[in-house]
Amino acid sequence: MTLREDGSVPLVGIERVLGAIVHTLSHPDLHGALVIGETGMGKSAIARRLVPIIDGQHKRCFVIRGTANLAEVPYGSLGAYLSDASPQALRSSLSALRALVAYLRDASQGRDAVVVIDDAQYLDDDSSHILTQLVVSRTIKVVLFSNGIPPRSGELFSLYTDGFISRVDLAGLSDADAGTFCETVLGGPVTRGAEAYFARQSAGNPLMLRALLDHASATGELVLRDGVWCLTGRFHPPGPPLVDLAKTLLQGLSEQERTAYEAVSLSGGLTSARLARLEEDAVAQQLLRRGLLRSPGSPTGLLRVAHPMMTRVMRAIVPAGRSAELRRQVFDDDVTLPPLQDGRIEYLNWALDANVPVPAAILLEAARTAAHVSRPESALRFAGAAKTEGGDAASAVEEARVRVTLGEYAVAVAMLDQVLAGPARPGTLADAATLKALACVRRGDDPAILHDIAEACAARLEAMGSGRDGVRPPKGSLDDAVSAPEDLTLLRLLGWVLEGQFDTARTELQSLDESLSSEETAPPAHVPVLVLTLRGMIDGALGLCNAAHAELRAALEDVDRSQGRLEHLRAPIVAQYVSALMGSGDLSTATEALDEYRRQPLVDLNYLSGALPVLQAVLEVRRGKYRSALRILVPALVSLRQADSEMLLPYALGVAAWCAHSLGDQDAAQAFEQEFAQVAGTGSRPMLLVARAYLAAANSGSSEGGHDLDALRELAEAAGSAPYPASEKDALELLVTLGDTARAWRLAELADSFEGSEAQVLSQYAHALTASDPDALLLAADKAETIQKVPLAADASARAMRLYADKGDVRARRLALRSMRRRQSLLEGVLPHEEGDTRTSHELTSREREIAKLAAEGATNRAIARILVLSTRTVEGHLYRIYGKLGITTREELAAEFTRDQEQG
């Protein structure tokens, strides 16, 4: 797969625009459309695509292209259509109008005339006047394409304000359309994080998006790994192509407009009051009309550049002296941090560009945040600048944090070992120990190492005489955001959670709560948030889903209230929150939580590429969308191989193997299993067990003679002995649905102890299996479908159908069969665990199928007998047996049965 080298810009998502224009042209009360889009939105390409569509609708399309060079030439834009008119005729607008009408009528040959005008803002006054007259007189319909800047002549554009034509605004590409665009240009799939990055940086502008792709692929920001295009996390200054594009976009700006645009770009966003220090409000309004700035939406909101990529470009092309002077005029020499979402990172970059002193504490906090919102170049810059303020060790920790987020775990550990061995403040040592521990477990070390690292750091602090003394670091100091004893306790708690020692973790968490509540001063803000997060993780693993939801949601709300100080915690808490929602069966809220994070102004691209798509894929698996899940998983796996913050790679490989098996691709399932063997020691022990359960399920149908469930049974028993309640529940669900109904009692017992709608459904399903109650199974199937667990709903329907058959209840069996078939039709791929007899027409004997087919087509018994050379009594006997096998009583039902079989096969 290689980058398309023709430099073309693919047309993605324009069908909606074309449909809107065509609909307007067919409207009896409208006479055309005004299509507005900034430079690079593909207006000319849309105009070209529109011409054959119009010509194919018994209309005749005429194309006019406005240019800046002809804007001052009378009728310059209409030259091609007035070439036969005499010079005298062109001296009068009426004569010119008549000449144009004559040409259009002759060329149209009785068809309706539609005039398409590209770059209509450059149309000269005279052309605009006579075209307006033709539209008002209903002689023609018109489609105007404009970039939104004030037109050379406003008469034609007034058709919109006067209600003669409609308006169509060209919006930027959505993330999904941007992903399609990237795949078209690159020749292969991209990660979700890369998709979001390019969509955000370009604001969905296709021309900018293409330029960004060219830049990213040329500089190594974007690389091909295992057939998927991924961001490396290292971003480079814009090269000449991006700079040239920026200059083109800014062409024609006045000096005042250029100054205002530069200030807004460099700052990350300015209020109108701040910008008024440089230029009048009318300048900003002009930039808004041109689509170069975005409206704040409120009087106190920020004006921002419409295309975030321009901030990088302007920093590269604005001379350093001019940049510093602009900042001085806007902010003086103050350092007053704006909210994180209002451009704090750009604000600090501009301050450093202008050599404005920034306190080390501010720089270190900003470095941590920048590392976790995929701004590694800013994080390294802030950390480096903080060294000059006396924070060498703390700066080294933040530089190591960038290495961790990039997946460079060995490098990070080496850097952190130096910090831990050298002079540093207690809080910095605890921070270094925590970060080193995370790097170690993410690279595959046993979670027990977290305890070892915590104990080593505690011993170092004890030797320094820095144990708990009840004194908090002063507000604003370098240790203000950390508290060594609590941080080390939190690290030990994480170790117990990863090891699955939930009882120990709960006991220690209770002790920490009591310790924190006994102190006179409040702990640093991150401590209670992490306490809530760990408690939510523990409760979710124990099946206390309602409590887990409340705790993790509260943690996210604390992040929201932190004014950016805890933003680095948002993505991991979202991941745990979504996991808890899935465990309870609330798939809709889980989907909403994922979407909510994607809409955040600042995101961690690693999470968008890896961890969160894995969770999205698991949601699809629970809905029975195996093909969709695998399509999401493949790029996510590539991202996780590079950086795996949540240690989800083994789990994702297990889920991928199950999806591949469900789709009948055993070779892919085996490949995923082989890779799992290489990373089988990474991450949470309970989650690793679930991953092995998926792999065992994927292998259960590979032996002759049916399902081999011994490995899955052993895993379920191991989870029960550990105990890992949530993992046991997942393993038992797989085991029972694959056919081991003897374990249904344990699934029922476990589900009864869990909270959440999924537990209720599993309880009803398992109890119904234990009691061989088909009515209860159908009720469980209905509830399972309600919470989107379609595979379980299909399985419960199939089991109910077989139980009705065993009882001889033909009609009830028939209803269950229909329910099962409908639910199976909602699944993607085969049901490898589907067992037994669905009694379709395919199991009839060949003679029965012949008779059933003829009867379904409407043939009478006598006609069937004549065609097949049988007696009428023999045909009647066959039909009786056919009706019994299929659970039906009428020929109408038989016809419906054969129609369904033809549709499904």
Side-chain angles (χ1 to χ4, degrees):
M1 288 178 284
T2 58
L3 186 73
R4 279 172 50 167
E5 298 179 355
D6 59 2
S8 61
V9 178
L11 297 177
V12 175
I14 68 167
E15 290 76 14
R16 294 184 295 273
V17 176
L18 290 170
I21 297 171
V22 170
H23 174 73
T24 295
L25 292 175
S26 63
H27 196 287
D29 298 325
L30 292 172
H31 309 298
L34 169 61
V35 183
I36 300 291
E38 64 189 32
T39 300
M41 292 300 295
K43 298 183 296 297
S44 296
I46 294 172
R48 288 193 294 271
R49 284 281 294 272
L50 185 62
V51 171
I53 296 175
I54 293 173
D55 285 340
Q57 295 185 334
H58 198 66
K59 296 181 176 68
R60 177 68 167 86
C61 189
F62 300 89
V63 179
I64 296 173
R65 291 182 174 86
T67 65
N69 292 335
L70 293 176
E72 301 294 336
V73 179
Y75 306 112
S77 300
L78 295 175
Y81 303 119
L82 296 176
S83 57
D84 293 337
S86 65
Q88 291 78 10
L90 296 182
R91 292 174 183 168
S92 162
S93 62
L94 180 58
S95 299
L97 185 148
R98 288 171 176 168
L100 181 59
V101 169
Y103 177 90
L104 295 176
R105 284 179 176 168
D106 183 58
S108 297
Q109 297 180 345
R111 292 179 290 174
D112 294 336
V114 178
V115 177
V116 174
I117 308 174
D118 195 12
D119 282 332
Q121 70 273 8
Y122 294 127
L123 214 61
D124 61 274
D125 292 339
D126 297 286
S127 298
S128 176
H129 174 70
I130 64 172
L131 287 170
T132 302
Q133 297 305 309
L134 292 180
V135 173
V136 173
S137 64
R138 302 192 177 215
T139 304
I140 64 170
K141 290 196 173 186
V142 67
V143 181
L144 311 176
F145 289 88
S146 172
N147 62 4
I149 68 173
R152 172 68 176 76
S153 173
E155 187 173 4
L156 193 59
F157 285 74
S158 67
L159 292 170
Y160 166 65
T161 56
D162 292 341
F164 285 94
I165 61 176
S166 66
R167 174 167 170 159
V168 177
D169 288 293
L170 299 182
L173 298 176
S174 65
D175 281 6
D177 284 342
T180 302
F181 184 103
C182 293
E183 291 184 10
T184 302
V185 171
L186 298 169
V190 298
T191 62
R192 292 284 181 92
E195 176 184 290
Y197 169 77
F198 289 115
R200 286 172 178 235
Q201 286 293 306
S202 66
N205 183 297
L207 186 62
M208 293 189 183
L209 181 50
R210 176 66 211 241
L212 279 169
L213 289 173
D214 290 342
H215 168 78
S217 59
T219 59
E221 292 179 2
L222 187 69
V223 296
L224 187 64
R225 293 192 182 119
D226 301 327
V228 177
W229 290 92
C230 312
L231 289 170
T232 62
R234 296 187 176 277
F235 300 100
H236 300 271
L242 280 179
V243 171
D244 291 343
L245 175 58
K247 290 178 179 178
T248 299
L249 292 173
L250 303 182
Q251 192 173 12
L253 292 185
S254 67
E255 182 179 347
Q256 292 81 6
E257 290 166 349
R258 177 72 179 240
T259 297
Y261 186 80
E262 288 175 351
V264 173
S265 300
L266 294 169
S267 66
L270 290 176
T271 63
S272 297
R274 286 282 183 183
L275 188 57
R277 294 187 174 194
L278 290 173
E279 303 294 347
E280 296 179 355
D281 183 63
V283 174
Q285 295 304 315
Q286 179 68 358
L287 292 172
L288 287 167
R289 281 192 292 270
R290 291 187 64 130
L292 293 174
L293 295 185
R294 282 191 288 127
S295 172
S298 68
T300 58
L302 295 184
L303 289 161
R304 301 177 187 271
V305 291
H307 313 95
M309 61 162 270
M310 291 296 290
T311 294
R312 292 170 62 192
V313 177
M314 298 308 289
R315 283 188 62 202
I317 66 177
V318 176
R322 176 173 172 79
S323 174
E325 177 58 24
L326 283 175
R327 191 193 184 281
R328 189 194 63 76
Q329 293 181 52
V330 174
F331 294 113
D332 300 320
D333 289 327
D334 296 338
V335 177
T336 305
L337 288 182
L340 180 63
Q341 66 272 18
D342 286 348
R344 181 181 300 173
I345 293 175
E346 288 76 14
Y347 175 93
L348 287 174
N349 270 315
W350 199 15
L352 295 180
D353 288 342
N355 295 317
V356 175
V358 181
I362 290 176
L363 288 169
L364 291 171
E365 182 181 302
R368 175 179 302 213
T369 301
H372 288 284
V373 294
S374 300
R375 297 290 300 274
E377 73 288 348
S378 293
L380 291 173
R381 187 185 192 195
F382 299 157
K387 287 183 180 179
T388 62
E389 295 291 320
D392 286 8
S395 296
V397 171
E398 296 313 320
E399 290 174 356
R401 194 182 309 280
V402 174
R403 303 291 185 175
V404 172
T405 61
L406 294 175
E408 299 172 4
Y409 302 127
V411 175
V413 169
M415 295 174 67
L416 293 164
D417 278 340
Q418 291 183 359
V419 173
L420 291 167
R425 294 178 174 86
T428 301
L429 289 173
D431 204 11
T434 299
L435 190 58
K436 176 186 174 181
L438 292 177
C440 287
V441 292
R442 290 175 187 178
R443 72 180 180 184
D445 291 3
D446 191 287
I449 199 172
L450 272 67
H451 303 293
D452 297 337
I453 293 173
E455 292 306 321
C457 185
R460 170 80 191 279
L461 293 176
E462 187 67 28
M464 294 170 58
S466 301
R468 180 186 303 278
D469 57 10
V471 178
R472 293 285 177 196
K475 195 74 173 173
S477 73
L478 292 178
D479 268 5
D480 180 38
V482 293
S483 183
E486 287 92 342
D487 281 354
L488 294 180
T489 299
L490 290 169
L491 182 57
R492 296 186 190 97
L493 280 166
L494 178 61
W496 285 314
V497 170
L498 293 178
E499 291 171 312
Q501 298 185 35
F502 300 118
D503 288 340
T504 302
R506 292 186 82 181
T507 300
E508 294 300 320
L509 195 57
Q510 181 62 34
S511 297
L512 178 59
D513 273 339
E514 293 173 358
S515 174
L516 292 174
S517 62
S518 66
E519 294 190 6
E520 295 181 1
T521 57
H526 73 282
V527 173
V529 171
L530 289 177
V531 167
L532 280 170
T533 302
L534 287 165
R535 185 178 288 117
M537 294 168 66
I538 295 167
D539 286 343
L542 297 175
L544 304 175
C545 300
N546 295 339
H549 296 172
E551 289 149 358
L552 291 164
R553 186 71 244 177
L556 282 174
E557 290 169 355
D558 284 346
V559 172
D560 290 337
R561 288 190 291 265
S562 72
Q563 298 182 334
R565 297 195 68 184
L566 301 179
E567 190 63 30
H568 60 283
L569 298 177
R570 183 184 300 277
I573 296 174
V574 167
Q576 295 302 328
Y577 181 53
V578 171
S579 297
L581 289 167
M582 287 195 297
S584 72
D586 193 349
L587 305 192
S588 296
T589 304
T591 300
E592 291 171 4
L594 289 171
D595 291 341
E596 181 182 350
Y597 181 76
R598 295 187 190 105
R599 291 191 297 267
Q600 288 292 320
L602 295 171
V603 294
D604 187 326
L605 296 177
N606 282 335
Y607 272 82
L608 280 188
S609 297
L612 299 187
V614 168
L615 298 178
Q616 179 68 58
V618 175
L619 286 170
E620 296 304 316
V621 168
R622 293 184 180 228
R623 293 171 175 135
K625 305 296 185 181
Y626 304 108
R627 186 171 293 106
S628 299
L630 196 56
R631 193 179 300 119
I632 295 169
L633 278 170
V634 169
L637 287 169
V638 175
S639 178
L640 292 178
R641 292 174 191 130
Q642 174 61 30
D644 187 6
S645 299
E646 293 295 315
M647 295 163 284
L648 286 176
L649 180 57
Y651 176 70
L653 288 167
V655 175
W658 174 241
C659 291
H661 174 63
S662 299
L663 295 167
D665 190 348
Q666 205 59 35
D667 289 341
Q670 291 175 0
F672 291 130
E673 183 177 15
Q674 290 170 2
E675 184 178 354
F676 174 86
Q678 301 171 16
V679 296
T682 301
S684 158
R685 296 313 181 229
M687 188 163 283
L688 282 173
L689 191 145
V690 177
R692 291 190 175 94
Y694 275 118
L695 289 167
N699 284 321
S700 65
S702 58
S703 61
E704 295 183 4
H707 297 300
D708 180 5
L709 300 176
D710 287 345
L712 193 51
R713 289 190 189 97
E714 290 176 4
L715 288 167
E717 291 171 1
S721 301
Y724 304 156
S727 301
E728 184 186 6
K729 179 204 69 172
D730 290 345
L732 283 171
E733 182 180 349
L734 285 169
L735 183 61
V736 172
T737 55
L738 282 168
D740 188 355
T741 54
R743 303 302 174 97
W745 70 269
R746 175 55 185 160
L747 179 59
E749 182 180 64
L750 194 61
D752 287 342
S753 68
F754 274 42
E755 298 173 349
S757 57
E758 180 181 81
Q760 294 174 5
V761 169
L762 286 174
S763 173
Q764 188 168 2
Y765 166 79
H767 280 297
L769 279 179
T770 303
S772 298
D773 185 343
D775 293 338
L777 274 170
L778 283 184
L779 288 174
D782 291 341
K783 290 186 178 179
E785 186 174 0
T786 298
I787 65 169
Q788 303 179 53
K789 284 182 70 75
V790 181
L792 187 70
D795 180 78
S797 300
R799 294 181 187 278
M801 179 200 68
R802 288 189 284 275
L803 288 172
Y804 284 131
D806 292 342
K807 293 182 176 182
D809 191 336
V810 175
R811 183 164 293 278
R813 177 190 164 281
R814 177 66 180 171
L815 293 173
L817 172 63
R818 290 178 178 173
S819 174
M820 181 200 71
R821 285 182 173 169
R822 182 183 62 77
R823 284 162 175 155
Q824 286 184 348
S825 72
L826 301 175
L827 304 175
E828 293 176 354
V830 299
L831 275 177
H833 55 285
E834 178 188 344
E835 55 174 88
D837 175 1
T838 56
R839 293 192 180 276
T840 69
S841 59
H842 298 298
E843 73 176 320
L844 303 176
T845 66
S846 57
R847 175 62 79 184
E848 287 170 344
R849 282 198 297 273
E850 286 182 297
I851 293 172
K853 184 175 184 298
L854 290 169
E857 292 172 350
T860 64
N861 291 355
R862 183 172 298 177
I864 295 171
R866 184 172 61 254
I867 293 169
L868 298 180
V869 194
L870 299 171
S871 68
T872 302
R873 186 176 294 276
T874 299
V875 171
E876 291 172 350
H878 276 302
L879 284 172
Y880 178 79
R881 288 188 291 276
I882 291 167
Y883 284 7
K885 284 184 177 183
L886 299 181
I888 59 178
T889 58
T890 68
R891 291 197 179 214
E892 288 78 10
E893 290 178 304
L894 181 62
E897 175 74 22
F898 268 77
T899 299
R900 274 192 297 272
D901 283 347
Q902 290 170 0
E903 292 173 349
Q904 295 174 7

